[in-house]
Structures are given as structure tokens and as C-alpha cells.
Amino acid sequence: MLSYAFKRVLSMLPVAFIAVTACFFIMRLAPGGPFDRERALPPEIKANLLAAYNMDQSLPVQYMLYVWRLLHGDLGPSMVVKTYSVSQLLGLGLPFTLTLGFSAFIIATTVGILAGILAAVYQNKWPDYVLVLFVMVGVVVPNFLTAHLLQLVFGVYLDWLPAGGYLPGSIPHLVMPVTVLSLAHLARVSRLMRGSMIEVLGSNYVRTARAKGLGTRLVLARHALKPALLPVVSYLGPGLSYLLTGSLVVEQVFGLPGIGKYFIQAALNRDYGLVLGTVVLYMFIILILNLIVDLVYAWLDPKVRYS
Amino acid sequence: MAAVLDVKDLTVSFALHDHDLVAVDHLSFSVSPGETLAVVGESGSGKSQAFLSIMGLLARNGRASGHAILDGVDLIGLPPSQLDAYRGRDIAMIFQDPMTSLNPYLRIGQQMSEVLVQHKQMSKKKARADAIRMLDAVKLADASGIFERYPHECSGGMRQRIMIAMALLCRPKVLIADEPTTALDVTVQAQMLELFSSLTDEFGTALVIITHDLGVVAGLADRMMVVYAGRAVETGTVEQLFYDPHHPYTLGLLNSTPHVETRARRLNTISGSPPNLEHLPRGCPFNPRCAYRCDRCFAERPALTPFGEGRAKACFYGAPLVQAEEVA
Amino acid sequence: MAGITGKDAVLTRYADKLEQIDAPKGRSLTQDAIRRLVRNRAALVSIVIVVLIVLIAFIGPRFAPWDYSKVDWTSIRKPPDVAKLHFFGTDANGRDLLSRVLQGTQMSLIVAGVATAVSVIIGIIYGAIAGYFGGRLDAVMMRFVDVMYAMPYVLFVIILVVIFGRSPVMLFVGIGALEWLTMARIVRGQTLSLKEREFIEAARAGGARSMSIITRHIIPNLTGPVVIYATLTVPEIIITESFLSYLGLGVQEPQTSLGTLISAGAQVAESQTWLLVFPAVVLVTMLLCLTYIGDGLRDALDPKDR
């Protein structure tokens, strides 16, 4: 298991390396690069950039310095904002985005797993039909649409919840954003769990467990649950990236103080210092989370754990 | 002697999208304590489904009716929660494919102990000791080591022995073995049959062995039942059916088993093809392939009728099929 | 990337089945699946609806009373008004919403079509190379795919758009270039298994024939997966494109797409609800139908999966 973990970490490195290198080259070589745009850059920005990218050095040295800076958490300067670096800007919004993202992730995953199990056990009876319908809606309707619809219905027409904005520590302000964000993930997780559980319940070893007279609860909890969870756990890695992408929109629609707002603004302003910096950060977060998910999977599956 | 398992008019049908398929049609038989009954038939003859229905393991669209009385309790129609009291404890079943019948995510020991904990309310320690003893009894080396292992660390033959051990933990009155040797090497098969034989002697378990292999029947069973198209066509002791079959299908099965001493240029087969359960012929379902048929066979379906000493057949043909001199 | 249609799972199962049987049987497996699909009522209705939408989107504008960029100064921000032939109402600039919705749908479909084609081509090439050369190269290429799978690829598309500007070409290529992963996996799997089978015979018969054997066997076996892949990818791309357009990074004025319309409509949804409702309904209907078709395909290819 330890060697497996070690190998996984090792395999992350080339990926991170490629990503960082790609970002570096995009920064330097893209058409309309930082130094030949139609609009002249304000002198402060130009000065920042020159300093940050050591334009006077050779390319390989620039690269080294870039990587060195990254390892120290310096994501470079913004193209548009004069006085703050990317890291500082992100630092303002990251804690919120991470909180939002993780809450949605945990809620959606837990509820999704339970719902999937329920639907599988009561296959083709009403809990199953309700879930399948819900999944269909949750998966098909884009999150920007659900965000606006919920905001309209609950925030404006019914006025049950605040339509946007955020006050520190206020739960009502978070209800809608977290719900919208969770929806798609919940739908996918529960659909996966349902399918996986149905398959496991039809397996030969579950048949043996039933033949032993163990009773439905034991068969489910001890024999079916863990094998059925495995595909769901595998999905959590990609699921998380979906969630992070979704948070962009949710923060925008509900006016929340996370990274999303900065990111979208940056994209619209063609501030690719900020855009790239954010993406590099996101990628690292996702790589690490994927590693964790991989390890959890390996721990659950005895064939991997004890090999 | 009173039968330990008495099955009467067992019928199993499956609801397909626009009609029902009858896989087992009014099957009746009984098993006495300590005896070994072989259930013989081609694939698709319904032999497995009959016993899966007794164990309450039918697929979602399956329905069973009739009676299967184990120790005075009719198992057919019992809801799973009530059935759980009997299966694993008084009646146990092992399946054809040992590679997939054990849970790959749990240790073997855990899968065995839980049976004892569930049915005998044993402590974990005692259950462990019992299980290891049983693993020993099925002639597995390093029983305590195996107890700690995962199924993927064991071979097919080992896994089947583990299954047998697991099934016998509560000393069930009836053990149903569905093609237990089909998925194993021939050499392992022989050992397995020996094992069955000694275990049933040692524990007094009645054994029902479902198979299509007459060699297995010859080596192990006391009585046998031949099944065709979901119905019993002949029953009796193994000697009776092997040397004096009274149903053309039984004869066909016996003839198509290659004999190691005869040099055959062509293997004998039963002419025709296996029956389509959705479109059975009128009258006797075997009539398309039968060399002894008469007009009555196309009009009426023969019922399983007792004759001789504890035998029964479902056939209109009156005479024995094999003359005394032809016995090979 | 695990899309809304779970196409990776569907395609992998299908491809696994194809791997195990010869090319002619593979074709009948597909025909069998098609027959089963046709029996699925929800999928059938969905196919009809999608075809209708596509037809209306592309032919409709010829018959529409108002052009999508024409301004009607007499009706600005007006709800649906049949007398003035503004069946869906007008937007803040006095443009007819129905025409704009038609144009938007057209745009979404075009992007989806082209991007799918791009991803199919890239996927086939990448997968064929990985499968053909095998060994180290294959391992590296596939590891890359595995990792890309977990990446937030929408963010990458955004990067591309930010850097290279908002041209439609960028949209097609950018989205397509990031969707090819599943196709690559399938093609690689097929190539690998074919390599094992055919090469052995070919080696015995005498080298030069191997290339034509591959082309003769890969192509027929590929049509099935490609069609299915395309059907399952289109809704994903529509969503991605809508998402981008919604953010303002997609299609540019005066062109519009469903995402842009929804974005504009959402801002004023309180007072001018029709501006949000109509494009939203069209988008959701299309996606719903495509998803039902995708589900139908999955059931048709692997009926036990219910």
C-alpha cells in the first residue's frame, strides 16, 4: 500500500511539471503576449511584469525563476490590477471558495450515496422512480440556469432566502449557493451509486451471502456496500473538478466573495496573468485531491491494499 | 424413513416482457436423511432454478409455487426474513463458480464466522475455532492461514473447498451443490467427489448434487432424478437408471457418455436439439427427439408414474429399454 | 471527462464487447442494439424532437417574420405579441426573441457538431498511435489521458479563449480539443486488441498485408462507437458552449447562442421573464432529449444495465 501511495505521488509530478511548463510558455509566447498588445500597458504593470519575469534573462533562466517562484506560492503579477499580485488576489477569495466547494462536495456526496443505495434496494418501486427523475433534471439542467431559477423563485418571488451577497457566518446566504452547486454532483453520484449497487446486488457473492441466511441489512452493509462504493469513489476526482468549475458560476450569480468573481472578470479582461495563476492553483488542488481519492480507493480495495 | 426435504409440484416461472416462461413444471421429489440425490439434465433444463427457488434466490422476475417442506416447514412462499432462519443453517447451497462466489472484499474467515455468529449466536472466538476446524475437515492445508486470507489469494479448488466448509458450518440437514465440479480441473474434481462422500458420511448431511456429468453421478449418488424441460422424467436409484433405464432421454444420456474403453469413431448424441421452453411441443416435450414415440406421445403429456421398487417414469413406452445382455 | 451521459462507461463496455468478436459479428451487435433502441419509446420520442428542433433551427429563420438582428423600434422589451408577429417577445434592443432563439440554437448545434468532429478526429489519431506503437509510448500517452480526465477542462478552454480571443474557430477547436479523451481510449483499446489478433496471422502470412488488414478491420468496427460517441458528446459540448457563452466568453455579437440569451435574460428575469424562459426551455428540452437518447443507447448496448 505504501509503495502504491509512493508511486501515485510520483506520477503526479510529471503532470504538475507539464502543466506548469505549459503555463509558462503560454504566458511568454502567446500571440498578443504581455508586451505587444493593442493597448499599451500602464507603466506600473509593465514594471511589475519586467521584474516578475526577469525579461532581461535568458529563457531557461526565466523558466527556473518562474518555477522557483511558484514553489514559494508566488503566482505572478496580474495584468490588470496594479497593486496586487495574483497570489494576493486569490488569497482573498480562496478560503471562501474552498469552504463553499467542500461543503457542497460533502453534502452532495453523502446524500447522493444514500439516495443511490435507496434507489437500488427499492429498484423499480417509487423511491427509484423519484430518484431517476431527479437525476435526470439535476444532470441535464445547466448550473447557471438552476442558479437563476432558484434565485428568482426563492430569493425574489417567495423571498424565503436572501437573493445574493454574503455576510460572514450567515447560513441562509449559503443555502441556495450550496444547493445549486451540489445539485449536479448529487445527481451524478446517486446515479453512479444506484447502478453500481444494482450490479453488486446481482453478483454471485451477494447471492452466496443471501444463501447463508444473513438477512438484508447485513448483506447490504457488510457485503454490498464496499464493493458498490468503489466506482463512486473513482468518480469523486473528476466530480470535484466539476464542482470547482461550477463554483465559478454560483459565485457570480449570487455575488459571493470567492475566486470565481475574480476569475471571470479576469477572463473577460484578458488578464491572463490572473487566469493562468488561478488555473495553476486549481490544478494543484485537484491533483492533490485526486491523489487522496486514489489512496482512499486503494485502501478500500483489498486487492490493491495488500499486494 | 421420513424425507428430510419433500418437494411437491414445484413450479417456477419468469415474467418476461410480454409473457411468462415456465422453467420448472410441477417438479416433485424427496430426499431422505443422509442420502445423495443427483439431479441430472442438460443446461437450461430448469434443474438449478428449482433449487434456487427453494433457497429464495430467484431473480426479481421469478415466481415459485408448490411446496418444499423441510422439517415440516414449507419454504416456498416464505418471505426472505423468515427464510433466513433456515438457509445457511438447515439447508445450504453451494454454487458452480467458486471464483466469484466469495466476496473479494472480505477475509475468508469473516465470511465463515458470520454464519456461525448469525445462526448459532457464537462468540467470534468460538466461531473462529469452529471455522478453522471445518477448513481442516475439507482437507485444506494451513487452515488458520486461510482463515486470515482474502479469496483472491486462493485457487479455484481451494475456494470451492472453502465454500463447502462454509456451507457445512451449521451442520445443515440438506446441502445443495449446483455443478460444484464443473469449473474445476478434472484431477481436482476427483478429490472433490471424495470429499463430498466422506463429509456426507461424517455429518450425515443429505446431499443434492446438480450435474450434467454422469461420471459424477456414478461416483457419488445413491439416487438420481433426470430432468427434461423443467419436468422430472425418471427417478430411481443410480443402479436402476444406469443399468435399466426406462425413459428414452435417460438412455440417450447414458449412451452419449463416452466410455473410456470403447473406441468410438463418432460420439453418440441425442438427435434433435434442446427444447425451447417458450414453445414446447404438444404432448411429451421429448417427442421430437424420441426413438420410442407413439401416437399417444403427441397427444398427451405423460405424468411421472411410480413403478417397480421406488422408481418412477414419465413415459408411455411400456417395455424396458435395455435388454439384460446389452449391459456394458 | 465524465459527462452527463456517462459516455465513457457506455463506450468502454461496447468496445469491450466488440473486441471479443470478429468484425462481421460486431456489425450485427450494432444492428441488434439499434433494434433495441428503436423499441425504447422515450428515446424514440426524443430523437423525433431533436430532429424537429434541428430542422426548425436551420430552416426556420427563412420563414421567420423578423431577422435576428433587426431592430423593431416600436417594440422594445415587449412580451410575446402575436399581432406584431413577435411570438417570443422582444429584447432590450427591440430584436425579436424567436429569431434570436432560432439563431442561438443554430449556433449551439453548429459548435457542437464541429467540435464533436474535431474531437473524433483527434481521438482516433491519438488512440490509433497509442495502440499501434504500444509499450512505453502507449503507457505515457494513456497516463496523460488519465490525468487529463480529472482536470477541470472548462478552465483550460477559458484559458484558450482568453489568450486567443473569441473567434468561433477557437470555440470549435478549443472545445473539441479537450473532449477527445474517451474516443482516444476506445480507439486505442481496439487497436491494441486487433494488433494482437491480426498481426500474428499477418506475420505468418508475410508482413506487407498488415496495414490493409488493420484498415479493413478497424474502420468497420469503429463506425458504431463513433456514432454513439458523437451522440453522447453533443449534449456535453452544448452545455460547455452555453456555459462559456453565459460567462460572456463564447459567441460574439451579433451572433448569439442559447447561453448568451439565457445570460441576458437572467439579468432582467424579474420584469421580462420571457427573455429567460424561452431560451431556457429550448436548451433544457434539447439536452433532456439528447440525454434520453444517450440513456437509450446505453440500455440498447447493455440491456442488463437497468
Side-chain angles (χ1 to χ4, degrees), chain B residues 273-293:
Chain B
S273 38
N276 179 349
L277 291 175
E278 306 191 34
H279 296 113
L280 287 177
R282 272 184 67 211
C284 176
F286 190 63
N287 62 34
R289 314 166 75 179
C290 186
Y292 299 85
R293 60 199 182 195

Side-chain angles (χ1 to χ4, degrees), chain A residues 4 8 50 74 94 165 169 187 189 195 202 223 239 246 270-271:
Chain A
Y4 178 79
R8 287 258 130 211
L50 270 171
D74 177 4
L94 192 61
V189 166
H223 286 264
R270 298 193 69 182
D271 176 357

Side-chain angles (χ1 to χ4, degrees), chain B:
Chain B
M1 205 165 22
V4 63
L5 177 66
D6 197 2
V7 176
K8 282 212 232 328
D9 286 330
L10 179 61
T11 305
V12 177
S13 64
F14 293 94
L16 300 181
H17 48 97
D18 51 355
H19 62 280
D20 282 352
L21 175 70
V22 178
V24 179
D25 194 350
H26 294 89
L27 195 66
S28 301
F29 63 91
S30 64
V31 187
S32 306
E35 93 169 333
T36 300
L37 172 73
V39 179
V40 181
E42 297 166 324
S43 328
S45 54
K47 49 196 203 296
S48 300
Q49 297 303 327
F51 293 94
L52 286 173
S53 72
I54 295 177
M55 294 288 289
L57 295 173
L58 283 182
R60 296 183 85 89
N61 60 342
R63 295 281 171 272
S65 63
H67 308 277
I69 302 180
L70 177 74
D71 246 7
V73 182
D74 188 357
L75 299 177
I76 302 293
L78 272 189
S81 48
Q82 291 181 31
L83 202 54
D84 282 332
Y86 302 99
R87 44 185 186 183
R89 192 190 69 180
D90 296 321
I91 181 168
M93 186 161 178
I94 63 179
F95 306 96
Q96 183 173 338
D97 187 3
M99 299 303 280
T100 54
S101 294
L102 286 169
N103 191 327
Y105 302 95
L106 296 173
R107 289 185 210 269
I108 292 170
Q110 190 178 4
Q111 300 184 49
M112 292 184 75
S113 309
E114 63 183 355
V115 181
L116 291 169
V117 171
Q118 172 80 3
H119 290 296
K120 303 274 185 189
Q121 286 78 44
M122 270 192 206
S123 69
K124 283 229 186 110
K125 253 176 94 177
K126 188 156 186 310
R128 181 173 187 277
D130 248 25
I132 293 182
R133 252 195 306 249
M134 189 59 88
L135 287 172
D136 242 347
V138 295
K139 314 260 190 347
L140 278 170
D142 188 22
S144 42
I146 291 187
F147 188 86
E148 301 297 332
R149 283 196 224 150
Y150 283 92
H152 68 269
E153 300 174 85
C154 305
S155 72
M158 286 165 77
R159 290 191 219 191
Q160 194 64 302
R161 286 179 201 257
I162 294 169
M163 291 289 295
I164 297 172
M166 199 161 66
L168 291 174
L169 280 173
C170 296
R171 314 291 189 271
K173 306 201 172 70
V174 181
L175 172 63
I176 305 168
D178 190 354
E179 312 246 19
T181 56
T182 312
L184 302 171
D185 288 338
V186 178
T187 44
V188 180
Q189 267 188 40
Q191 295 170 8
M192 208 59 73
L193 295 180
E194 257 247 27
L195 187 63
F196 272 121
S197 185
S198 64
L199 287 174
T200 49
D201 283 343
E202 185 179 335
F203 296 111
T205 322
L207 175 66
V208 175
I209 185 150
I210 305 172
T211 180
H212 58 265
D213 183 345
L214 289 176
V216 168
V217 178
L220 199 52
D222 304 315
R223 300 186 60 240
M224 68 189 271
M225 170 169 72
V226 179
V227 177
Y228 188 81
R231 302 142 199 240
V233 295
E234 186 164 10
T235 61
T237 67
V238 172
E239 278 81 25
Q240 286 168 339
L241 268 74
F242 266 56
Y243 294 119
D244 184 23
H246 268 73
H247 194 285
Y249 179 58
T250 316
L251 181 66
L253 285 178
L254 290 164
N255 282 343
S256 53
T257 306
H259 198 276
V260 76
E261 280 163 34
T262 42
R263 300 230 106 180
R265 263 177 304 158
R266 295 188 75 202
L267 292 176
N268 290 322
T269 53
I270 305 177
S271 67
S273 38
N276 179 349
L277 291 175
E278 306 191 34
H279 296 113
L280 287 177
R282 272 184 67 211
C284 176
F286 190 63
N287 62 34
R289 314 166 75 179
C290 186
Y292 299 85
R293 60 199 182 195
C294 61
D295 287 334
R296 194 179 176 201
C297 303
F298 289 93
E300 256 182 81
R301 203 198 96 192
L304 190 68
T305 343
F307 72 100
E309 282 192 27
R311 306 179 58 168
K313 71 176 182 198
C315 184
F316 294 128
Y317 192 75
L321 300 175
V322 174
Q323 305 312 315
E325 313 84 69
E326 286 180 42
V327 169

Side-chain angles (χ1 to χ4, degrees), chain A residues 228-275:
Chain A
L229 270 179
L230 289 177
V232 176
V233 171
S234 301
Y235 170 71
L236 291 182
L240 207 59
S241 4
Y242 256 131
L243 219 61
L244 281 177
T245 330
S247 68
L248 291 179
V249 158
V250 169
E251 286 176 9
Q252 169 105 331
V253 171
F254 291 101
L256 299 170
I259 300 183
K261 186 173 64 181
Y262 296 125
F263 186 77
I264 295 176
Q265 272 309 305
L268 290 171
N269 289 335
R270 298 193 69 182
D271 176 357
Y272 40 101
L274 187 49
V275 167

Side-chain angles (χ1 to χ4, degrees), chain C residues 187-269:
Chain C
V187 172
R188 173 229 179 214
Q190 298 251 286
T191 318
L192 271 181
S193 66
L194 277 162
K195 215 172 58 146
E196 277 170 33
R197 281 190 284 168
E198 308 306 315
F199 267 17
I200 298 179
E201 297 178 36
R204 267 192 257 136
R209 287 193 0 225
S210 37
M211 250 294 119
S212 61
I213 292 179
I214 294 181
T215 29
R216 237 186 303 133
H217 279 259
I218 287 191
I219 307 294
N221 252 351
L222 264 189
T223 21
V226 166
V227 168
I228 297 166
Y229 172 82
T231 316
L232 296 177
T233 309
V234 164
E236 292 179 18
I237 297 191
I238 293 182
I239 289 193
T240 310
E241 182 272 321
S242 306
F243 184 75
L244 286 173
S245 299
Y246 170 83
L247 290 179
L249 294 166
V251 189
Q252 275 177 312
E253 288 290 318
Q255 309 274 2
T256 184
S257 111
L258 290 171
T260 330
L261 289 171
I262 291 179
S263 166
Q267 308 299 329
V268 292

Side-chain angles (χ1 to χ4, degrees), chain A residues 11 15 26 30-31 123 139-140 145 148 152 156 191 194 198-199 241-242 245 249 253 264 270 282-283 286 290, chain C residues 2-4 13 143 147 150-152 154-156 162-164 243 246-247 266 269-270 284 287-288 291 295 306:
Chain A
S11 71
V15 175
I26 292 177
Q123 193 185 1
V139 153
V140 162
L145 205 53
H148 281 296
L152 267 180
V156 177
R191 174 201 255 200
R194 173 188 178 273
I198 288 180
E199 209 179 303
S241 4
Y242 256 131
T245 330
V249 158
V253 171
I264 295 176
R270 298 193 69 182
Y282 264 176
M283 281 212 296
I286 288 176
N290 267 295
Chain C
I4 63 173
R13 279 186 135 98
R143 185 79 200 114
V147 169
M151 290 288 118
V154 178
L155 296 185
F156 290 165
V162 163
I163 293 170
F164 295 105
F243 184 75
Y246 170 83
L247 290 179
E270 249 192 278
V284 172
L287 289 174
L288 204 65
T291 312
D295 268 3
R306 258 308 137 191

Side-chain angles (χ1 to χ4, degrees), chain C residues 6 27 69 83 96 108 134 154 168 179 186 226 284-285:
Chain C
R27 261 172 253 136
S69 52
D96 178 40
S108 300
V154 178
E179 274 276 15
I186 306 297
V226 166
V284 172
T285 312

